[in-house]
Amino acid sequence: MMKRLLLTTAALAGLAHATTANAEDIAVLTPYLSSVATNEMVETFTKESQAKGWTVNVVDTRGDFQQLASRVEDVTNAGADAIVLVSVDPNQIGDQVAAAAGKNIPVFVLDGALADGVTANITTDNFALGTILSDYLFEALGGEGKIVKFFHSAHPGVRQRELALDEALKKDPDFEVIAEHYVQVPGPIDNARQAMETFIRQYGEEIDGVWAAWDEPAVGALLAIQSDMPDADIVIAGIDGNPQAIDLIEQCTNLAATVRQDFPGIASAAVGEIETVLGGGEPSSREIFVEAKVIDRETLGSNCE
């Protein structure tokens, strides 16, 4: 009887060890958790990872890339099973990414870019997003117009969107960017609103449209227009499918459209890729694109006549 009990205890100890071995320790780091889109990805990723029994530790460095590099070093030295960078260009912390890879810690990027040491980048084709946005705005303006541009080149995806706008402008010289602003993060809505107020004072009725590289600056520009030029026929378009932006589109404001990225889809795809890699497999690709779609008054069924 005693021998049987000892065997049972040993079996339970082995089961406990196996369970602990499967409880992967995932470090999620971002400088942009205040962003609606980034937060949506992190929340989805955390929920689905925890459902698999993984431990997820989220670090937000609030726009501080020096601190981001330091925290990546910390989780690397702590022996995380995987590192996930969200809305980050890993090339900006290349030494830290390489150090993690050198310790055989897979590094995944969501809504970012590829770099040496990165196992896979799961994102949307950001150049395609910028092209869709530019084409939509140009068509909405009727083939010509003067545009205000809001951007943030520190984000690799946003940079690709800017490059797409540059290409669109080369192809259609009837459009001109008359003012542009590098949006500060955190606080993109207020920062864009303040910049748009300045542009309204400078250019007034010359402004035909606003090209916003993501939705928060589009919302900020709209707030300035509603305050300072409430009757202006300025068309605003952005990217991400932010719920606030969608509500404003549905309300028939100057914000006419957004290009919706499937952020939950990006996060879900990342969980699947990480599970494969931690199980000894290879990612399906080093760069994985998730589809996007336009959301405007027509798709929402809004009657804005």
Side-chain angles (χ1 to χ4, degrees):
M1 186 72 172
M2 180 64 71
K3 184 176 181 180
R4 190 175 299 148
L5 178 61
L6 288 173
L7 285 173
T8 303
T9 303
L12 287 172
L15 178 61
H17 175 76
T19 302
T20 302
N22 288 330
E24 310 292 1
D25 184 9
I26 313 298
V28 177
L29 303 99
T30 179
Y32 300 128
L33 194 61
S34 62
S35 162
V36 173
T38 300
N39 189 63
E40 185 176 10
M41 282 184 284
V42 171
E43 285 192 353
T44 301
F45 180 87
T46 300
K47 181 180 179 180
E48 295 192 12
S49 296
Q50 290 175 340
K52 293 184 178 295
W54 301 350
T55 299
V56 178
N57 299 302
V58 178
V59 176
D60 174 28
T61 64
R62 296 183 57 81
D64 188 332
F65 277 80
Q66 189 170 12
Q67 186 184 4
L68 179 68
S70 178
R71 297 307 298 273
V72 171
E73 290 176 359
D74 291 343
V75 298
T76 298
N77 292 332
D81 293 303
I83 294 173
V84 178
L85 303 174
V86 188
S87 303
V88 169
D89 182 354
N91 292 287
Q92 293 181 281
I93 52 171
D95 290 345
Q96 288 73 27
V97 170
K103 291 191 174 183
N104 296 318
I105 299 174
V107 179
F108 293 84
V109 184
L110 280 61
D111 184 37
L114 284 175
D116 290 342
V118 169
T119 304
N121 174 41
I122 302 96
T123 186
T124 311
D125 185 337
N126 280 282
F127 191 90
L129 287 175
T131 301
I132 294 169
L133 170 61
S134 303
D135 290 348
Y136 186 97
L137 185 60
F138 287 8
E139 182 175 351
L141 294 178
E144 63 179 358
K146 295 181 178 180
I147 297 169
V148 172
K149 167 187 169 184
F150 289 95
F151 65 104
H152 184 84
S153 302
H155 186 291
V158 173
R159 177 57 182 156
Q160 287 298 310
R161 299 169 200 174
E162 293 173 54
L163 294 175
L165 174 60
D166 291 343
E167 286 299 312
L169 290 167
K170 289 177 185 177
K171 294 176 182 177
D172 199 333
D174 291 327
F175 290 93
E176 176 189 1
V177 174
I178 59 171
E180 59 182 48
H181 177 68
Y182 182 97
V183 180
Q184 299 299 311
V185 179
I189 293 179
D190 285 342
N191 187 254
R193 176 184 56 77
Q194 293 166 7
M196 190 67 192
E197 289 171 351
T198 299
F199 296 149
I200 288 172
R201 288 194 294 270
Q202 290 177 329
Y203 299 101
E205 294 181 1
E206 288 185 59
I207 303 170
D208 298 306
V210 173
W211 185 98
W214 74 106
D215 284 337
E216 277 98 336
V219 172
L222 173 64
L223 294 176
I225 292 168
Q226 289 177 327
S227 174
D228 296 355
M229 291 181 67
D231 298 323
D233 189 23
I234 298 172
V235 180
I236 307 172
I239 289 174
D240 281 347
N242 179 317
Q244 183 181 8
I246 292 173
D247 286 344
L248 291 167
I249 294 167
E250 199 165 19
Q251 293 170 25
C252 303
T253 66
N254 296 78
L255 183 50
T258 181
V259 186
R260 167 66 180 172
Q261 295 194 74
D262 184 2
F263 293 113
I266 289 172
S268 295
V271 170
E273 296 295 329
I274 291 171
E275 185 173 37
T276 296
V277 170
L278 293 181
E282 296 291 329
S284 58
S285 175
R286 285 200 68 218
E287 190 145 53
I288 299 159
F289 291 135
V290 176
E291 291 187 1
K293 64 180 180 179
V294 171
I295 296 177
D296 61 7
R297 297 163 183 169
E298 182 178 352
T299 62
L300 292 172
S302 299
N303 183 6
C304 298
E305 297 299 328

mmCIF file of all heavy atoms in Angstrom, residues 67-118:
data_model
loop_
_atom_site.group_PDB
_atom_site.id
_atom_site.type_symbol
_atom_site.label_atom_id
_atom_site.label_comp_id
_atom_site.label_asym_id
_atom_site.label_seq_id
_atom_site.Cartn_x
_atom_site.Cartn_y
_atom_site.Cartn_z
ATOM 1 N N GLN A 67 14.304 53.283 -22.544
ATOM 2 C CA GLN A 67 13.795 52.392 -21.508
ATOM 3 C C GLN A 67 13.355 51.059 -22.123
ATOM 4 O O GLN A 67 13.525 49.996 -21.514
ATOM 5 C CB GLN A 67 12.625 53.029 -20.767
ATOM 6 C CG GLN A 67 12.163 52.189 -19.578
ATOM 7 C CD GLN A 67 10.943 52.758 -18.888
ATOM 8 O OE1 GLN A 67 10.368 53.746 -19.318
ATOM 9 N NE2 GLN A 67 10.518 52.120 -17.808
ATOM 10 N N LEU A 68 12.799 51.122 -23.334
ATOM 11 C CA LEU A 68 12.396 49.890 -24.011
ATOM 12 C C LEU A 68 13.597 48.970 -24.197
ATOM 13 O O LEU A 68 13.523 47.768 -23.917
ATOM 14 C CB LEU A 68 11.768 50.214 -25.368
ATOM 15 C CG LEU A 68 11.315 49.010 -26.209
ATOM 16 C CD1 LEU A 68 10.129 48.327 -25.558
ATOM 17 C CD2 LEU A 68 10.965 49.448 -27.631
ATOM 18 N N ALA A 69 14.700 49.526 -24.666
ATOM 19 C CA ALA A 69 15.919 48.727 -24.856
ATOM 20 C C ALA A 69 16.365 48.107 -23.530
ATOM 21 O O ALA A 69 16.734 46.924 -23.468
ATOM 22 C CB ALA A 69 17.026 49.604 -25.431
ATOM 23 N N SER A 70 16.310 48.898 -22.458
ATOM 24 C CA SER A 70 16.720 48.412 -21.147
ATOM 25 C C SER A 70 15.821 47.279 -20.657
ATOM 26 O O SER A 70 16.304 46.271 -20.108
ATOM 27 C CB SER A 70 16.701 49.572 -20.142
ATOM 28 O OG SER A 70 17.040 49.125 -18.853
ATOM 29 N N ARG A 71 14.527 47.414 -20.876
ATOM 30 C CA ARG A 71 13.595 46.389 -20.410
ATOM 31 C C ARG A 71 13.701 45.111 -21.234
ATOM 32 O O ARG A 71 13.493 44.012 -20.715
ATOM 33 C CB ARG A 71 12.159 46.923 -20.435
ATOM 34 C CG ARG A 71 11.916 48.100 -19.496
ATOM 35 C CD ARG A 71 12.351 47.828 -18.057
ATOM 36 N NE ARG A 71 11.608 46.728 -17.448
ATOM 37 C CZ ARG A 71 10.449 46.866 -16.821
ATOM 38 N NH1 ARG A 71 9.902 48.084 -16.698
ATOM 39 N NH2 ARG A 71 9.846 45.827 -16.302
ATOM 40 N N VAL A 72 14.030 45.239 -22.518
ATOM 41 C CA VAL A 72 14.276 44.032 -23.321
ATOM 42 C C VAL A 72 15.488 43.293 -22.769
ATOM 43 O O VAL A 72 15.490 42.056 -22.676
ATOM 44 C CB VAL A 72 14.472 44.385 -24.813
ATOM 45 C CG1 VAL A 72 14.952 43.165 -25.595
ATOM 46 C CG2 VAL A 72 13.166 44.895 -25.417
ATOM 47 N N GLU A 73 16.518 44.036 -22.383
ATOM 48 C CA GLU A 73 17.690 43.405 -21.757
ATOM 49 C C GLU A 73 17.282 42.683 -20.476
ATOM 50 O O GLU A 73 17.746 41.569 -20.205
ATOM 51 C CB GLU A 73 18.741 44.467 -21.450
ATOM 52 C CG GLU A 73 19.407 45.047 -22.689
ATOM 53 C CD GLU A 73 20.376 46.175 -22.343
ATOM 54 O OE1 GLU A 73 20.493 46.505 -21.133
ATOM 55 O OE2 GLU A 73 20.996 46.728 -23.268
ATOM 56 N N ASP A 74 16.399 43.304 -19.686
ATOM 57 C CA ASP A 74 15.963 42.705 -18.425
ATOM 58 C C ASP A 74 15.267 41.366 -18.643
ATOM 59 O O ASP A 74 15.577 40.376 -17.968
ATOM 60 C CB ASP A 74 15.013 43.650 -17.685
ATOM 61 C CG ASP A 74 15.703 44.895 -17.151
ATOM 62 O OD1 ASP A 74 16.945 44.894 -17.070
ATOM 63 O OD2 ASP A 74 14.993 45.865 -16.823
ATOM 64 N N VAL A 75 14.308 41.335 -19.582
ATOM 65 C CA VAL A 75 13.544 40.094 -19.782
ATOM 66 C C VAL A 75 14.414 39.027 -20.453
ATOM 67 O O VAL A 75 14.198 37.832 -20.243
ATOM 68 C CB VAL A 75 12.245 40.346 -20.591
ATOM 69 C CG1 VAL A 75 11.324 41.303 -19.834
ATOM 70 C CG2 VAL A 75 12.525 40.865 -21.993
ATOM 71 N N THR A 76 15.394 39.478 -21.233
ATOM 72 C CA THR A 76 16.339 38.521 -21.822
ATOM 73 C C THR A 76 17.171 37.863 -20.730
ATOM 74 O O THR A 76 17.312 36.633 -20.684
ATOM 75 C CB THR A 76 17.268 39.225 -22.834
ATOM 76 O OG1 THR A 76 16.481 39.754 -23.903
ATOM 77 C CG2 THR A 76 18.295 38.260 -23.409
ATOM 78 N N ASN A 77 17.697 38.676 -19.836
ATOM 79 C CA ASN A 77 18.512 38.144 -18.750
ATOM 80 C C ASN A 77 17.688 37.285 -17.786
ATOM 81 O O ASN A 77 18.222 36.366 -17.146
ATOM 82 C CB ASN A 77 19.178 39.283 -17.983
ATOM 83 C CG ASN A 77 20.225 40.004 -18.815
ATOM 84 O OD1 ASN A 77 20.833 39.412 -19.712
ATOM 85 N ND2 ASN A 77 20.433 41.291 -18.541
ATOM 86 N N ALA A 78 16.388 37.587 -17.693
ATOM 87 C CA ALA A 78 15.511 36.805 -16.816
ATOM 88 C C ALA A 78 15.127 35.467 -17.443
ATOM 89 O O ALA A 78 14.531 34.622 -16.777
ATOM 90 C CB ALA A 78 14.261 37.604 -16.486
ATOM 91 N N GLY A 79 15.443 35.285 -18.732
ATOM 92 C CA GLY A 79 15.182 34.017 -19.391
ATOM 93 C C GLY A 79 13.767 33.813 -19.864
ATOM 94 O O GLY A 79 13.209 32.705 -19.755
ATOM 95 N N ALA A 80 13.141 34.860 -20.396
ATOM 96 C CA ALA A 80 11.797 34.713 -20.966
ATOM 97 C C ALA A 80 11.817 33.648 -22.055
ATOM 98 O O ALA A 80 12.821 33.457 -22.750
ATOM 99 C CB ALA A 80 11.329 36.045 -21.545
ATOM 100 N N ASP A 81 10.690 32.966 -22.222
ATOM 101 C CA ASP A 81 10.601 31.945 -23.271
ATOM 102 C C ASP A 81 10.404 32.575 -24.650
ATOM 103 O O ASP A 81 10.793 31.996 -25.660
ATOM 104 C CB ASP A 81 9.453 30.981 -22.973
ATOM 105 C CG ASP A 81 9.729 30.144 -21.736
ATOM 106 O OD1 ASP A 81 10.774 29.452 -21.718
ATOM 107 O OD2 ASP A 81 8.934 30.189 -20.788
ATOM 108 N N ALA A 82 9.785 33.743 -24.689
ATOM 109 C CA ALA A 82 9.617 34.475 -25.949
ATOM 110 C C ALA A 82 9.431 35.945 -25.625
ATOM 111 O O ALA A 82 8.920 36.308 -24.553
ATOM 112 C CB ALA A 82 8.419 33.950 -26.737
ATOM 113 N N ILE A 83 9.865 36.796 -26.546
ATOM 114 C CA ILE A 83 9.693 38.244 -26.414
ATOM 115 C C ILE A 83 8.795 38.713 -27.547
ATOM 116 O O ILE A 83 9.009 38.353 -28.715
ATOM 117 C CB ILE A 83 11.047 38.974 -26.458
ATOM 118 C CG1 ILE A 83 11.882 38.614 -25.226
ATOM 119 C CG2 ILE A 83 10.858 40.488 -26.562
ATOM 120 C CD1 ILE A 83 13.304 39.141 -25.256
ATOM 121 N N VAL A 84 7.794 39.524 -27.208
ATOM 122 C CA VAL A 84 6.867 40.071 -28.195
ATOM 123 C C VAL A 84 6.963 41.587 -28.144
ATOM 124 O O VAL A 84 6.707 42.202 -27.104
ATOM 125 C CB VAL A 84 5.420 39.616 -27.915
ATOM 126 C CG1 VAL A 84 4.459 40.231 -28.930
ATOM 127 C CG2 VAL A 84 5.316 38.091 -27.944
ATOM 128 N N LEU A 85 7.327 42.201 -29.267
ATOM 129 C CA LEU A 85 7.400 43.657 -29.384
ATOM 130 C C LEU A 85 6.187 44.131 -30.177
ATOM 131 O O LEU A 85 5.939 43.643 -31.278
ATOM 132 C CB LEU A 85 8.684 44.076 -30.092
ATOM 133 C CG LEU A 85 9.997 43.595 -29.453
ATOM 134 C CD1 LEU A 85 11.181 43.955 -30.354
ATOM 135 C CD2 LEU A 85 10.171 44.205 -28.068
ATOM 136 N N VAL A 86 5.447 45.088 -29.621
ATOM 137 C CA VAL A 86 4.207 45.535 -30.262
ATOM 138 C C VAL A 86 4.351 46.986 -30.721
ATOM 139 O O VAL A 86 4.708 47.867 -29.936
ATOM 140 C CB VAL A 86 3.003 45.401 -29.311
ATOM 141 C CG1 VAL A 86 1.696 45.690 -30.062
ATOM 142 C CG2 VAL A 86 2.950 43.999 -28.699
ATOM 143 N N SER A 87 4.081 47.209 -32.013
ATOM 144 C CA SER A 87 4.155 48.545 -32.622
ATOM 145 C C SER A 87 5.552 49.148 -32.469
ATOM 146 O O SER A 87 5.706 50.322 -32.125
ATOM 147 C CB SER A 87 3.098 49.481 -32.020
ATOM 148 O OG SER A 87 1.808 48.941 -32.173
ATOM 149 N N VAL A 88 6.561 48.339 -32.749
ATOM 150 C CA VAL A 88 7.959 48.743 -32.566
ATOM 151 C C VAL A 88 8.753 48.420 -33.824
ATOM 152 O O VAL A 88 8.526 47.391 -34.462
ATOM 153 C CB VAL A 88 8.584 47.981 -31.370
ATOM 154 C CG1 VAL A 88 10.082 48.180 -31.321
ATOM 155 C CG2 VAL A 88 7.940 48.426 -30.061
ATOM 156 N N ASP A 89 9.692 49.305 -34.175
ATOM 157 C CA ASP A 89 10.690 48.974 -35.184
ATOM 158 C C ASP A 89 11.868 48.342 -34.453
ATOM 159 O O ASP A 89 12.625 49.035 -33.761
ATOM 160 C CB ASP A 89 11.147 50.226 -35.928
ATOM 161 C CG ASP A 89 12.159 49.909 -37.024
ATOM 162 O OD1 ASP A 89 12.590 48.735 -37.114
ATOM 163 O OD2 ASP A 89 12.513 50.824 -37.784
ATOM 164 N N PRO A 90 12.048 47.024 -34.552
ATOM 165 C CA PRO A 90 13.123 46.358 -33.808
ATOM 166 C C PRO A 90 14.514 46.815 -34.211
ATOM 167 O O PRO A 90 15.479 46.599 -33.473
ATOM 168 C CB PRO A 90 12.896 44.878 -34.115
ATOM 169 C CG PRO A 90 12.134 44.859 -35.392
ATOM 170 C CD PRO A 90 11.281 46.080 -35.380
ATOM 171 N N ASN A 91 14.634 47.455 -35.369
ATOM 172 C CA ASN A 91 15.935 47.976 -35.778
ATOM 173 C C ASN A 91 16.414 49.080 -34.834
ATOM 174 O O ASN A 91 17.617 49.350 -34.748
ATOM 175 C CB ASN A 91 15.854 48.520 -37.206
ATOM 176 C CG ASN A 91 15.627 47.408 -38.224
ATOM 177 O OD1 ASN A 91 16.518 46.625 -38.517
ATOM 178 N ND2 ASN A 91 14.413 47.333 -38.747
ATOM 179 N N GLN A 92 15.481 49.724 -34.126
ATOM 180 C CA GLN A 92 15.855 50.780 -33.193
ATOM 181 C C GLN A 92 16.465 50.230 -31.909
ATOM 182 O O GLN A 92 17.080 50.979 -31.150
ATOM 183 C CB GLN A 92 14.629 51.644 -32.871
ATOM 184 C CG GLN A 92 14.128 52.452 -34.060
ATOM 185 C CD GLN A 92 12.924 53.298 -33.687
ATOM 186 O OE1 GLN A 92 11.809 52.809 -33.602
ATOM 187 N NE2 GLN A 92 13.152 54.573 -33.463
ATOM 188 N N ILE A 93 16.256 48.948 -31.655
ATOM 189 C CA ILE A 93 16.859 48.294 -30.490
ATOM 190 C C ILE A 93 17.556 47.014 -30.973
ATOM 191 O O ILE A 93 17.426 45.949 -30.368
ATOM 192 C CB ILE A 93 15.815 47.996 -29.395
ATOM 193 C CG1 ILE A 93 14.600 47.230 -29.961
ATOM 194 C CG2 ILE A 93 15.364 49.274 -28.716
ATOM 195 C CD1 ILE A 93 13.660 46.722 -28.885
ATOM 196 N N GLY A 94 18.285 47.167 -32.065
ATOM 197 C CA GLY A 94 18.895 46.017 -32.735
ATOM 198 C C GLY A 94 19.833 45.204 -31.859
ATOM 199 O O GLY A 94 19.840 43.973 -31.921
ATOM 200 N N ASP A 95 20.625 45.873 -31.021
ATOM 201 C CA ASP A 95 21.569 45.148 -30.167
ATOM 202 C C ASP A 95 20.829 44.259 -29.172
ATOM 203 O O ASP A 95 21.240 43.117 -28.908
ATOM 204 C CB ASP A 95 22.461 46.128 -29.406
ATOM 205 C CG ASP A 95 23.446 46.845 -30.313
ATOM 206 O OD1 ASP A 95 23.644 46.384 -31.456
ATOM 207 O OD2 ASP A 95 24.002 47.876 -29.880
ATOM 208 N N GLN A 96 19.745 44.776 -28.625
ATOM 209 C CA GLN A 96 18.983 44.018 -27.632
ATOM 210 C C GLN A 96 18.261 42.835 -28.278
ATOM 211 O O GLN A 96 18.193 41.746 -27.700
ATOM 212 C CB GLN A 96 17.974 44.937 -26.932
ATOM 213 C CG GLN A 96 18.593 45.938 -25.974
ATOM 214 C CD GLN A 96 19.326 47.073 -26.667
ATOM 215 O OE1 GLN A 96 19.007 47.430 -27.798
ATOM 216 N NE2 GLN A 96 20.303 47.658 -25.968
ATOM 217 N N VAL A 97 17.718 43.034 -29.481
ATOM 218 C CA VAL A 97 17.058 41.947 -30.199
ATOM 219 C C VAL A 97 18.066 40.855 -30.540
ATOM 220 O O VAL A 97 17.808 39.654 -30.370
ATOM 221 C CB VAL A 97 16.369 42.473 -31.478
ATOM 222 C CG1 VAL A 97 15.882 41.319 -32.356
ATOM 223 C CG2 VAL A 97 15.197 43.385 -31.117
ATOM 224 N N ALA A 98 19.248 41.269 -30.986
ATOM 225 C CA ALA A 98 20.298 40.301 -31.322
ATOM 226 C C ALA A 98 20.745 39.519 -30.086
ATOM 227 O O ALA A 98 21.005 38.318 -30.159
ATOM 228 C CB ALA A 98 21.494 41.026 -31.945
ATOM 229 N N ALA A 99 20.812 40.203 -28.937
ATOM 230 C CA ALA A 99 21.216 39.527 -27.707
ATOM 231 C C ALA A 99 20.195 38.473 -27.300
ATOM 232 O O ALA A 99 20.552 37.375 -26.851
ATOM 233 C CB ALA A 99 21.393 40.550 -26.586
ATOM 234 N N ALA A 100 18.917 38.797 -27.468
ATOM 235 C CA ALA A 100 17.866 37.822 -27.147
ATOM 236 C C ALA A 100 17.958 36.624 -28.072
ATOM 237 O O ALA A 100 17.890 35.469 -27.634
ATOM 238 C CB ALA A 100 16.497 38.488 -27.253
ATOM 239 N N ALA A 101 18.112 36.893 -29.369
ATOM 240 C CA ALA A 101 18.237 35.806 -30.339
ATOM 241 C C ALA A 101 19.470 34.956 -30.040
ATOM 242 O O ALA A 101 19.449 33.730 -30.214
ATOM 243 C CB ALA A 101 18.299 36.371 -31.756
ATOM 244 N N GLY A 102 20.549 35.610 -29.578
ATOM 245 C CA GLY A 102 21.768 34.883 -29.245
ATOM 246 C C GLY A 102 21.592 33.929 -28.083
ATOM 247 O O GLY A 102 22.354 32.971 -27.933
ATOM 248 N N LYS A 103 20.577 34.179 -27.256
ATOM 249 C CA LYS A 103 20.262 33.275 -26.145
ATOM 250 C C LYS A 103 19.117 32.330 -26.512
ATOM 251 O O LYS A 103 18.501 31.721 -25.625
ATOM 252 C CB LYS A 103 19.906 34.089 -24.897
ATOM 253 C CG LYS A 103 21.089 34.829 -24.305
ATOM 254 C CD LYS A 103 20.763 35.406 -22.935
ATOM 255 C CE LYS A 103 21.997 36.021 -22.295
ATOM 256 N NZ LYS A 103 21.730 36.517 -20.927
ATOM 257 N N ASN A 104 18.840 32.253 -27.828
ATOM 258 C CA ASN A 104 17.788 31.366 -28.341
ATOM 259 C C ASN A 104 16.396 31.715 -27.824
ATOM 260 O O ASN A 104 15.543 30.847 -27.667
ATOM 261 C CB ASN A 104 18.108 29.895 -28.026
ATOM 262 C CG ASN A 104 19.370 29.420 -28.728
ATOM 263 O OD1 ASN A 104 19.587 29.731 -29.899
ATOM 264 N ND2 ASN A 104 20.196 28.675 -28.014
ATOM 265 N N ILE A 105 16.172 33.005 -27.555
ATOM 266 C CA ILE A 105 14.836 33.475 -27.196
ATOM 267 C C ILE A 105 14.192 34.022 -28.466
ATOM 268 O O ILE A 105 14.686 34.999 -29.043
ATOM 269 C CB ILE A 105 14.895 34.578 -26.120
ATOM 270 C CG1 ILE A 105 15.547 34.050 -24.850
ATOM 271 C CG2 ILE A 105 13.497 35.111 -25.832
ATOM 272 C CD1 ILE A 105 15.778 35.107 -23.792
ATOM 273 N N PRO A 106 13.116 33.429 -28.948
ATOM 274 C CA PRO A 106 12.486 33.938 -30.164
ATOM 275 C C PRO A 106 11.861 35.317 -29.926
ATOM 276 O O PRO A 106 11.263 35.562 -28.877
ATOM 277 C CB PRO A 106 11.412 32.895 -30.478
ATOM 278 C CG PRO A 106 11.139 32.218 -29.179
ATOM 279 C CD PRO A 106 12.426 32.239 -28.406
ATOM 280 N N VAL A 107 12.045 36.215 -30.876
ATOM 281 C CA VAL A 107 11.505 37.571 -30.791
ATOM 282 C C VAL A 107 10.459 37.746 -31.895
ATOM 283 O O VAL A 107 10.770 37.609 -33.080
ATOM 284 C CB VAL A 107 12.615 38.631 -30.944
ATOM 285 C CG1 VAL A 107 12.019 40.031 -30.880
ATOM 286 C CG2 VAL A 107 13.688 38.446 -29.872
ATOM 287 N N PHE A 108 9.237 38.051 -31.488
ATOM 288 C CA PHE A 108 8.149 38.268 -32.427
ATOM 289 C C PHE A 108 7.746 39.738 -32.393
ATOM 290 O O PHE A 108 7.803 40.384 -31.343
ATOM 291 C CB PHE A 108 6.937 37.399 -32.071
ATOM 292 C CG PHE A 108 7.188 35.926 -32.249
ATOM 293 C CD1 PHE A 108 7.804 35.191 -31.239
ATOM 294 C CD2 PHE A 108 6.829 35.280 -33.411
ATOM 295 C CE1 PHE A 108 8.052 33.836 -31.391
ATOM 296 C CE2 PHE A 108 7.074 33.922 -33.580
ATOM 297 C CZ PHE A 108 7.681 33.203 -32.569
ATOM 298 N N VAL A 109 7.333 40.252 -33.542
ATOM 299 C CA VAL A 109 6.909 41.644 -33.633
ATOM 300 C C VAL A 109 5.487 41.682 -34.155
ATOM 301 O O VAL A 109 5.153 41.017 -35.139
ATOM 302 C CB VAL A 109 7.841 42.451 -34.563
ATOM 303 C CG1 VAL A 109 7.432 43.914 -34.569
ATOM 304 C CG2 VAL A 109 9.299 42.310 -34.132
ATOM 305 N N LEU A 110 4.640 42.461 -33.491
ATOM 306 C CA LEU A 110 3.275 42.694 -33.944
ATOM 307 C C LEU A 110 3.172 44.133 -34.433
ATOM 308 O O LEU A 110 3.562 45.067 -33.707
ATOM 309 C CB LEU A 110 2.260 42.472 -32.819
ATOM 310 C CG LEU A 110 1.844 41.040 -32.471
ATOM 311 C CD1 LEU A 110 3.027 40.204 -32.011
ATOM 312 C CD2 LEU A 110 0.762 41.054 -31.397
ATOM 313 N N ASP A 111 2.692 44.318 -35.660
ATOM 314 C CA ASP A 111 2.509 45.666 -36.204
ATOM 315 C C ASP A 111 3.831 46.419 -36.201
ATOM 316 O O ASP A 111 3.917 47.559 -35.772
ATOM 317 C CB ASP A 111 1.456 46.420 -35.383
ATOM 318 C CG ASP A 111 1.130 47.795 -35.948
ATOM 319 O OD1 ASP A 111 1.104 47.945 -37.186
ATOM 320 O OD2 ASP A 111 0.900 48.730 -35.140
ATOM 321 N N GLY A 112 4.887 45.750 -36.696
ATOM 322 C CA GLY A 112 6.196 46.381 -36.695
ATOM 323 C C GLY A 112 6.956 46.150 -37.975
ATOM 324 O O GLY A 112 6.462 46.440 -39.062
ATOM 325 N N ALA A 113 8.159 45.590 -37.845
ATOM 326 C CA ALA A 113 9.019 45.400 -39.015
ATOM 327 C C ALA A 113 9.956 44.232 -38.748
ATOM 328 O O ALA A 113 10.078 43.748 -37.625
ATOM 329 C CB ALA A 113 9.832 46.668 -39.296
ATOM 330 N N LEU A 114 10.624 43.806 -39.789
ATOM 331 C CA LEU A 114 11.640 42.773 -39.659
ATOM 332 C C LEU A 114 12.990 43.394 -39.302
ATOM 333 O O LEU A 114 13.253 44.562 -39.598
ATOM 334 C CB LEU A 114 11.780 41.991 -40.966
ATOM 335 C CG LEU A 114 10.687 40.964 -41.269
ATOM 336 C CD1 LEU A 114 10.911 40.367 -42.652
ATOM 337 C CD2 LEU A 114 10.666 39.869 -40.202
ATOM 338 N N ALA A 115 13.828 42.593 -38.654
ATOM 339 C CA ALA A 115 15.202 43.000 -38.341
ATOM 340 C C ALA A 115 15.983 41.730 -38.055
ATOM 341 O O ALA A 115 15.402 40.657 -37.849
ATOM 342 C CB ALA A 115 15.232 43.932 -37.138
ATOM 343 N N ASP A 116 17.297 41.829 -38.045
ATOM 344 C CA ASP A 116 18.125 40.686 -37.678
ATOM 345 C C ASP A 116 17.733 40.219 -36.276
ATOM 346 O O ASP A 116 17.618 41.031 -35.351
ATOM 347 C CB ASP A 116 19.603 41.067 -37.699
ATOM 348 C CG ASP A 116 20.118 41.311 -39.105
ATOM 349 O OD1 ASP A 116 19.450 40.868 -40.057
ATOM 350 O OD2 ASP A 116 21.181 41.944 -39.238
ATOM 351 N N GLY A 117 17.531 38.931 -36.134
ATOM 352 C CA GLY A 117 17.175 38.379 -34.837
ATOM 353 C C GLY A 117 15.685 38.224 -34.612
ATOM 354 O O GLY A 117 15.269 37.565 -33.662
ATOM 355 N N VAL A 118 14.873 38.819 -35.473
ATOM 356 C CA VAL A 118 13.418 38.701 -35.341
ATOM 357 C C VAL A 118 12.956 37.385 -35.965
ATOM 358 O O VAL A 118 13.298 37.073 -37.104
ATOM 359 C CB VAL A 118 12.696 39.890 -36.009
ATOM 360 C CG1 VAL A 118 11.194 39.635 -36.113
ATOM 361 C CG2 VAL A 118 12.972 41.165 -35.236
#
